[in-house]
Amino acid sequence: MSSNKTRVFLAVGLVAVAGIGFGAYRMGAIAKDAPAAKTTAKATPAAPTDTTKPNALWGKSCDAGADGKQTCVVLQNVVITDKNTNQSLRALAVAVGYLPSDNKLHMSLTIPLGVSLQPGVGFQLDEGTANTLPIEACFADGCRIFMTIDASGRDSLVKSKMIKISYQLTNGQKMVLPIELNGFGDALAQLGPTP
């Protein structure tokens, strides 16, 4: 293995969710910090935020909005550590939850700044068909993709093992990152009954 290779590991993040839903993700990464080599994936259990199951890959975060209603999401972060410098950056954050405004299940993906917008973001469930999602908005803390998940999509996520997310950096490097779905169904159940 080349010394330029980077290591990817999954970590549960403690992220405060803004009253508007999924808008408060902090991506410490900027384009110049992006790794310049291929990545390999390794799932590493992290301390759960609000679950009784040890080694959970999914955390839970809640926040009260201005109206006093609590919005909770389950979340997972993919963090890349450069083996040469031992510096880490969050390369992907995913949050899934029900918005009180419509009681539908939503997923938000946040990727770092410094991505090429035109190609969009690749989304592939297990070895299924790869789809391309448009990047909807970029903020100071990263670019976001939002999607509504219907009952069939929810069932597919619960039964699947992994989502592969891919995007291209402005320097041409392609990132392919895993979202481990192990324990996703149990984590989603923490949000309460399906509305």
Side-chain angles (χ1 to χ4, degrees):
M1 187 179 285
S2 162
S3 63
N4 288 337
K5 298 243 179 186
T6 56
R7 179 184 46 169
V8 176
F9 64 93
L10 303 176
V12 174
L14 298 170
V15 181
V17 179
I20 58 170
F22 302 131
Y25 289 95
R26 299 289 173 238
M27 300 289 288
I30 55 176
K32 67 178 183 174
D33 293 332
K38 294 180 181 176
T39 60
T40 56
K42 177 183 175 191
T44 303
T49 59
D50 187 17
T51 180
T52 57
K53 293 194 174 222
N55 301 326
L57 293 174
W58 290 90
K60 178 181 172 185
S61 182
C62 298
D63 187 47
D67 60 1
K69 291 184 181 178
Q70 191 173 45
T71 301
C72 296
V73 296
V74 294
L75 50 98
Q76 186 179 121
N77 294 313
V78 178
V79 178
I80 297 177
T81 302
D82 184 317
K83 288 183 178 179
N84 294 330
T85 64
N86 207 28
Q87 291 184 345
S88 296
L89 68 90
R90 186 179 306 141
L92 173 65
V94 60
V96 182
Y98 298 96
L99 293 181
S101 59
D102 64 10
N103 288 329
K104 293 180 182 174
L105 188 63
H106 293 270
M107 178 182 284
S108 169
L109 303 172
T110 304
I111 56 178
L113 296 174
V115 297
S116 293
L117 301 177
Q118 180 117 17
V121 173
F123 184 97
Q124 182 179 10
L125 198 56
D126 287 337
E127 299 304 319
T129 304
N131 296 294
T132 302
L133 306 171
I135 296 171
E136 296 190 29
C138 291
F139 302 95
D141 59 353
C143 296
R144 293 196 187 87
I145 299 92
F146 301 99
M147 47 191 130
T148 301
I149 302 171
D150 61 16
S152 164
R154 181 188 185 282
D155 292 344
S156 293
L157 287 170
V158 169
K159 292 175 185 173
S160 297
K161 294 180 180 178
M162 181 182 296
I163 302 169
K164 293 177 195 165
I165 300 295
S166 59
Y167 56 85
Q168 183 176 317
L169 300 173
T170 54
N171 67 7
Q173 181 185 356
K174 187 167 183 179
M175 303 293 292
V176 180
L177 303 166
I179 300 171
E180 295 284 344
L181 293 172
N182 183 25
F184 175 74
D186 292 338
L188 201 56
Q190 293 181 52
L191 300 182
T194 305

